[in-house]
Amino acid sequence: MDVVRWGMIGCGDVTERKSGPAFYKAPGSALVAVMGRRAEAVTDYAARHGIARIYTNAQALIDDPDVDAVYIATPPDSHHAYSMQVATAGKHCCVEKPMALSSTQSEEMQQAFDKVGRHLFVSYYRRSLPRFQRIREWLTQGHIGEVRQLTWSLIKPPSQKDLEQQANWRTDPAVAGGGYFADLASHGLDLFQYLLGDIVAVSGFTARQAGLYAAEDAVVASWRFSSGALGMGCWNFVADRHEDRVEIIGSRGRILFSVFGDEPVRLDAEETVSEYIQHPEHIQWYHVLGMNAHIRGERDYAALAREAVKTDRVMDQILGRAKA
């Protein structure tokens, strides 16, 4: 398969710049079809991005014989149903994160693709970004010695939309599986397990401090990695300012970075190193390259469902959410 031909379900904000263009610009990749429920919106998207086929029915796109793999770019409440349709059709798939509304749904999705011998990926693209590959190198090369602990503080003030209590799927647990924590913290929790190994024990507390929406707006948690290193996080989405700070502390130094920002990554050890590593124009560029290479059997790519299920299990425990 010289070119992996993708079909895309959903054409919302994430697909405009972050993901969609990567699927048709990356070498060995093509975006041949797009589906949206509103004909006007999907027609406009296809015209602006040069996509030949448009659909308003997901099954029709999935069944298109010229589609090899399907990218599901919709809110989490639809990931399970759409991905099961893709598995039934015997095609490869990528779903946006979080993978599903619970780890039970995620496990069912993974098992369905394992059964038909196709790959299911999840858009935890930070695993493939050069800035985090650099951090992984520092850790692997032992620059900070044995890792002792990791801390993450992600703080944001409420948006105007939140303050006006406008409809927002990201803060509707029935659609998102939680609030901003489920949407944003999932990226970090997946990344940390990629860098430091599996989280094997976790506990957490949640609160609705401002009461602006149905989901939690404040979360704290602590956990233990399989290596014995400890972790803790504080996420607050009704605070006074923006902050995104991760610190990995080792026996001989530490590494500092942010999960969502693009400021320099810093190594404080025998010497201090600060490196600015620019994000690609389309943030999922390396993710698309990795998936296509994995589908073609050229190399393994780590953003697979079996890894994402681990993150959903961790979030289940932190949020105390019922499995569905």
Side-chain angles (χ1 to χ4, degrees):
M1 188 184 297
D2 294 330
V3 176
V4 179
R5 300 170 300 177
W6 288 87
M8 185 171 73
I9 297 175
C11 52
D13 289 345
V14 71
T15 68
E16 284 292 348
R17 185 167 181 267
K18 288 183 176 181
S19 62
F23 281 90
Y24 61 77
K25 289 183 180 180
S29 188
L31 184 56
V32 299
V34 62
M35 173 266 171
R37 288 179 296 179
R38 293 188 299 114
E40 183 180 355
V42 70
T43 300
D44 174 68
Y45 185 94
R48 289 186 291 104
H49 291 271
I51 301 169
R53 293 182 176 88
I54 59 172
Y55 293 96
T56 55
N57 178 277
Q59 190 65 59
L61 178 141
I62 293 167
D63 291 338
D64 187 326
D66 290 329
V67 169
D68 305 311
V70 178
Y71 167 45
I72 300 171
T74 56
D77 65 330
S78 60
H79 290 179
H80 181 271
Y82 281 147
S83 66
M84 293 304 240
Q85 290 174 249
V86 178
T88 299
K91 298 186 177 183
H92 305 291
C93 185
C94 173
V95 297
E96 267 300 330
K97 55 82 214 163
M99 184 174 172
L101 295 180
S102 72
S103 62
T104 298
Q105 286 190 343
S106 299
E107 288 162 4
E108 290 174 356
M109 292 158 63
Q110 178 193 355
Q111 291 165 7
F113 281 85
D114 288 347
K115 185 176 180 179
V116 298
R118 292 295 181 265
H119 302 302
L120 175 59
F121 305 92
V122 182
S123 290
Y124 285 126
Y125 52 83
R126 278 171 172 76
R127 288 172 173 252
S128 62
L129 288 175
R131 63 186 277 113
F132 300 117
Q133 288 293 320
R134 185 61 169 145
I135 291 168
R136 187 173 165 90
E137 288 176 8
W138 287 340
L139 291 166
T140 302
Q141 293 165 2
H143 286 288
I144 66 170
E146 294 185 11
V147 174
R148 302 301 194 205
Q149 70 180 54
L150 175 149
T151 62
W152 183 23
S153 176
L154 179 64
I155 307 297
K156 297 166 69 74
S159 68
Q160 192 60 40
K161 189 174 185 178
D162 294 333
L163 293 171
E164 294 174 358
Q165 297 183 284
Q166 298 179 30
N168 181 358
W169 69 261
R170 287 181 173 83
T171 55
D172 182 349
V175 179
Y180 291 119
F181 172 83
D183 186 44
L184 299 175
S186 56
H187 264 302
L189 293 168
D190 176 81
L191 175 64
F192 302 156
Q193 292 184 98
Y194 175 64
L195 295 175
L196 299 178
D198 292 350
I199 293 173
V200 295
V202 61
S203 61
F205 294 94
T206 68
R208 292 180 64 241
Q209 294 180 333
L212 297 174
Y213 37 75
E216 72 290 332
D217 56 22
V219 180
V220 295
S222 58
W223 60 87
R224 177 167 54 86
F225 292 99
S226 56
S227 66
L230 302 179
M232 55 186 175
C234 172
W235 304 269
N236 196 293
F237 304 101
V238 287
D240 63 329
R241 68 193 70 188
H242 289 267
E243 179 180 294
D244 179 5
R245 176 184 170 88
V246 179
E247 189 170 21
I248 302 176
I249 299 171
S251 58
R252 297 200 305 271
R254 58 189 60 197
I255 298 170
L256 296 96
F257 61 97
S258 71
V259 173
F260 296 103
D262 63 354
E263 62 269 24
V265 295
R266 197 174 89 205
L267 170 66
D268 286 343
E270 292 182 356
E271 59 177 336
T272 297
V273 178
S274 180
E275 293 188 13
Y276 174 69
I277 303 172
Q278 188 172 9
H279 286 317
E281 177 185 2
H282 309 296
I283 199 77
Q284 294 200 28
W285 179 266
Y286 294 104
H287 176 61
V288 171
L289 290 175
M291 290 190 296
N292 289 343
H294 192 102
I295 289 170
R296 288 193 292 262
E298 297 168 354
R299 61 182 172 91
D300 290 337
Y301 180 54
L304 289 161
R306 64 172 176 264
E307 298 300 322
V309 166
K310 298 173 184 177
T311 296
D312 274 0
R313 289 176 185 148
V314 169
M315 292 197 299
D316 278 351
Q317 294 178 71
I318 293 174
L319 293 175
R321 62 186 181 187
K323 294 186 176 184

